[in-house]
Amino acid sequence: MSIAEWFNSDPVQKFRQQVLGNSAVSACRRCYVEEHAGGMSRRQRSNQKSAIFLQAFTDSFEQSPIQQHINESGTTDTHPIDIHIDLGNYCNLACKMCKPAASTTIAAQHVKWGIKSDRQYLGQDWTRDNTVWTRFKHELLDLPGLNNIHFMGGETLLTDRFEDLVDTMIEHGRVDVCWSFVTNGTVYRPELLQKLSQFKRVGIEVSIETVDQHNAYQRQGTNTDLVLKHLAQYKAFANGTNITVSLRSAVSALTIGYYPGLLNYALEHGFLVKSLLVNNPQYLDAVILPDEIKLQYLTLYEKFNATTDVDYNASDPGQLKNNIAQQVNMVTNILRHEQPNNADELLGNMVAHCRRWDTVYGYDARILYPELVAVWNKHGY
């Protein structure tokens, strides 16, 4: 099945019908959680690309270009204009909130621990099949109206197929496409950036949660000083218009108390923040933290301005203050939530998860998080 055929296949038609309906869609849960907490979700940012806004939603949807091309049956007479591509799971990090399907480093460690089922995530990169990869590239080239391609990994910049696709698109004159990609910041490739600068737009999203040692605790295997160095290099390369750099954060129970440092860094250096709230696995969701700890963390956000516009352009560097204010709103709303009824069980799972990984990377959570020492001790860290 080609990309164009898939775009009007039965599953996709049914999904469009769900999205056009009045009921919540289970696949959209992450966005719902972020929106409920006061953040701007990926679906809202994507809606903005089609001129669909929160205020006057119905009117803006009815005049949106996309609305004219979708009918009630879920079929469309258009081709994909915005594509998200995962280039396999090859990754040099083992982030505590990640899974083996997205990281070969995690998969390899799981196999060492005897989790044999996760061997399936080693050496199974779909892009290694040359026939499939070549066909995929040709189908992308043939898509009329393709506007944006977004890449995730694994680690995008460690995957040679990424540069291969860049070269192919340039060779065939498809520099009219916007590119964006997520990187963990451990790699900086200036020669590849020069190639990317030929495209209509380039959005570089660097994953980082804090500017201190807690970043490496969650993003196991990273070097935060090196990531900050690379961020400075990306910032120098960007021009703030068609080449931009933003911070891509995963706010969890392990980082929410130290996230203010990153927000200050973003304000000082002019980085927009595109975050997500970690709720899978549930035992890393910040809402499970003891209420007294959340109150302690809340005080760290008091110095920030939390007033924001509803429909600001989330991709506009000129909207930095709105962007940071919305981050503060989202995070403080999470910190004001009471613990769920099964919080103690989930905290036990968090401690067990951290203890297991900390023996691999040589961390002591009791030293890094002294405010949580009662939690670590209670659950046998």
Side-chain angles (χ1 to χ4, degrees):
M1 180 183 295
S2 69
I3 295 174
E5 290 170 337
W6 169 84
F7 201 54
N8 256 323
S9 64
D10 286 343
V12 178
Q13 289 182 37
K14 290 177 181 177
F15 180 74
R16 288 197 192 98
Q17 288 176 316
Q18 287 181 300
V19 171
L20 292 170
N22 296 318
S23 300
V25 180
S26 59
C28 300
R29 180 180 180 274
R30 168 168 281 175
C31 287
Y32 296 153
V33 170
E34 292 171 4
E35 293 162 17
H36 182 70
M40 180 171 284
S41 68
R42 189 168 191 87
R43 75 164 183 157
Q44 289 174 334
R45 294 196 297 269
S46 295
N47 279 343
Q48 285 185 345
K49 296 177 184 179
S50 296
I52 302 172
F53 305 103
L54 290 176
Q55 291 182 325
F57 175 84
T58 300
D59 289 341
S60 62
F61 174 70
E62 290 179 351
Q63 62 80 42
S64 169
I66 197 66
Q67 191 271 347
Q68 303 168 26
H69 298 283
I70 300 177
N71 61 42
E72 293 182 356
S73 67
T75 58
T76 178
D77 59 2
T78 64
H79 294 277
I81 59 173
D82 195 332
I83 290 182
H84 177 127
I85 301 173
D86 286 352
L87 293 171
N89 69 332
Y90 182 69
C91 186
N92 56 336
L93 302 188
C95 301
K96 278 190 168 77
M97 69 292 186
C98 198
K99 299 181 184 299
S103 169
T104 49
T105 302
I106 293 177
Q109 185 59 48
H110 280 196
V111 171
K112 289 180 181 178
W113 284 335
I115 307 174
K116 296 180 180 179
S117 60
D118 284 350
R119 191 178 296 276
Q120 65 179 304
Y121 301 114
L122 295 172
Q124 298 298 315
D125 183 350
W126 69 271
T127 69
R128 294 302 100 191
D129 186 318
N130 288 325
T131 301
V132 171
W133 178 245
T134 300
R135 187 186 73 189
F136 178 75
K137 289 193 297 180
H138 288 162
E139 289 184 12
L140 280 182
L141 289 169
D142 292 339
L143 281 178
L146 180 62
N147 183 63
N148 185 74
I149 309 177
H150 180 70
F151 294 87
M152 294 184 69
E155 169 49 40
T156 306
L157 297 185
L158 289 177
T159 305
D160 58 4
R161 294 302 201 191
F162 181 67
E163 185 167 12
D164 178 54
L165 184 55
V166 170
D167 291 338
T168 299
M169 299 291 277
I170 292 174
E171 179 185 348
H172 289 81
R174 290 303 307 270
V175 293
D176 57 328
V177 178
C178 302
W179 289 59
S180 60
F181 64 91
V182 178
T183 172
N184 61 33
T186 60
V187 181
Y188 184 77
R189 299 180 57 189
E191 73 291 343
L192 178 56
L193 291 177
Q194 289 299 329
K195 292 181 180 180
L196 285 166
S197 66
Q198 299 178 52
F199 289 86
K200 182 179 178 181
R201 183 186 179 280
V202 181
I204 305 164
E205 302 177 9
V206 182
S207 296
I208 183 172
E209 273 73 67
T210 77
V211 292
D212 60 14
Q213 57 195 340
H214 300 88
N215 183 63
Y217 185 75
Q218 175 156 294
R219 294 193 171 274
Q220 298 169 136
T222 195
N223 179 327
T224 303
D225 288 338
L226 180 63
V227 173
L228 292 173
K229 175 185 175 181
H230 288 163
L231 269 168
Q233 291 175 305
Y234 281 126
K235 185 70 173 177
F237 178 76
N239 56 22
T241 53
N242 70 313
I243 303 175
T244 59
V245 187
S246 58
L247 308 183
R248 185 72 176 266
S249 305
V251 183
S252 75
L254 300 174
T255 61
I256 197 168
Y258 302 87
Y259 194 49
L262 185 75
L263 297 182
N264 275 323
Y265 173 83
L267 281 170
E268 291 171 6
H269 296 275
F271 290 111
L272 290 174
V273 180
K274 298 179 180 180
S275 68
L276 60 85
L277 296 172
V278 175
N279 48 57
N280 183 18
Q282 193 178 357
Y283 55 75
L284 289 181
D285 189 332
V287 76
I288 74 168
L289 291 170
D291 291 339
E292 63 272 18
I293 298 299
K294 286 186 285 192
L295 286 174
Q296 177 182 330
Y297 287 164
L298 263 174
T299 63
L300 304 175
Y301 291 90
E302 291 176 351
K303 60 185 176 182
F304 291 97
N305 173 34
T307 303
T308 181
D309 296 335
V310 175
D311 275 322
Y312 74 92
N313 183 347
S315 298
D316 180 3
Q319 296 291 327
L320 178 63
K321 291 184 178 179
N322 270 324
N323 173 251
I324 300 302
Q326 189 156 48
Q327 290 295 310
V328 172
N329 273 325
M330 178 181 70
V331 173
T332 54
N333 283 336
I334 291 297
L335 290 172
R336 292 188 183 98
H337 271 282
E338 293 184 358
Q339 282 184 296
N341 293 332
N342 61 338
D344 196 57
E345 176 188 353
L346 292 171
L347 286 169
N349 293 338
M350 180 187 78
V351 171
H353 180 70
C354 291
R355 181 178 64 238
R356 194 175 201 185
W357 276 109
D358 291 354
T359 60
V360 177
Y361 283 89
Y363 288 113
D364 189 333
R366 294 165 297 188
I367 295 174
L368 281 170
Y369 300 88
E371 71 276 17
L372 293 175
V373 68
V375 173
W376 303 122
N377 290 338
K378 176 181 180 179
H379 295 283
Y381 183 83

